[in-house]
Amino acid sequence: RKEVEQDPGPFNVPEGATVAFNCTYSNSASQSFFWYRQDCRKEPKLLMSVYSSGNEDGRFTAQLNRASQYISLLIRDSKLSDSATYLCVVNDRGSTLGRLYFGRGTQLTVWP
Amino acid sequence: DAMVIQNPRYQVTQFGKPVTLSCSQTLNHNVMYWYQQKSSQAPKLLFHYYDKDFNNEADTPDNFQSRRPNTSFCFLDIRSPGLGDAAMYLCATSRDGGIGGYTFGSGTRLTVV
């Protein structure tokens, strides 16, 4: 069983649309959670951390449900520049210190 | 700006010819990681250094080795690259295990011919 599972995608949406990505993780001891963005042939870059109370950064809203081991990312008013792969990432400090588990990523294409 | 720098950006090597990828950081982070990412796949952790302590993933092939001569530098050595080792290699750093996330270098794309 994979540590982090994501929506397979791809998602193709028009500009201005709202799109949501989901992610589940298998280790209930996981302690910190992130969404990373990866552009084609580039390195992953931290988009936002995910907090238990949910958090918002402009058009991006992240939610965490520890009971269901579920993480989500909502993007409102999509822009062309949002086109990228979004990686759900979980830090499991229950085993090897500092080990991040990555999902395969969900590809988003925003079209004009 | 403080950052993680990987050299070279693109590397072409011959089948079976040893190759070394380098990573340096100015963040003074104590943990450094090497990930392998193949097309449309999640980054896969190869190994990491927590300070000077080396931690190898169980499924990392023996063909892959790493060195960390000091806090700032970390190297990935591929002793005998095969065609299946063609990938993007990502170096990342964190402070004390990455509760706040990692900082990635721009990666080295390795081609094996």
Side-chain angles (χ1 to χ4, degrees), chain A residues 28-45:
Chain A
S28 60
S30 299
Q31 295 194 358
S32 52
F33 311 89
F34 311 93
W35 284 101
Y36 274 74
R37 170 194 169 127
Q38 187 171 27
D39 292 295
C40 187
R41 303 178 79 85
K42 298 282 184 67
E43 76 276 20
K45 292 187 177 178

Side-chain angles (χ1 to χ4, degrees), chain A residues 2-102:
Chain A
K2 292 183 180 177
E3 296 286 344
V4 181
E5 301 262 18
Q6 286 187 245
D7 280 349
F11 286 71
N12 298 297
V13 302
E15 268 188 297
T18 295
V19 61
F21 305 141
N22 303 316
C23 168
T24 57
Y25 59 95
S26 61
N27 188 344
S28 60
S30 299
Q31 295 194 358
S32 52
F33 311 89
F34 311 93
W35 284 101
Y36 274 74
R37 170 194 169 127
Q38 187 171 27
D39 292 295
C40 187
R41 303 178 79 85
K42 298 282 184 67
E43 76 276 20
K45 292 187 177 178
L46 180 64
L47 178 66
M48 60 195 302
S49 300
V50 186
Y51 302 118
S52 296
S53 54
N55 48 300
E56 187 173 308
D57 183 1
R59 298 180 293 108
F60 299 86
T61 301
Q63 297 279 350
L64 168 65
N65 184 323
R66 285 188 181 270
S68 303
Q69 295 176 207
Y70 171 94
I71 306 163
S72 66
L73 176 68
L74 182 76
I75 305 176
R76 293 183 301 279
D77 189 22
S78 299
K79 310 293 185 190
L80 296 178
S81 58
D82 294 334
S83 298
T85 296
Y86 291 83
L87 299 165
C88 177
V89 184
V90 174
N91 184 323
D92 173 11
R93 296 193 64 154
S95 55
T96 303
L97 183 67
R99 196 187 193 288
L100 284 190
Y101 291 87
F102 285 79

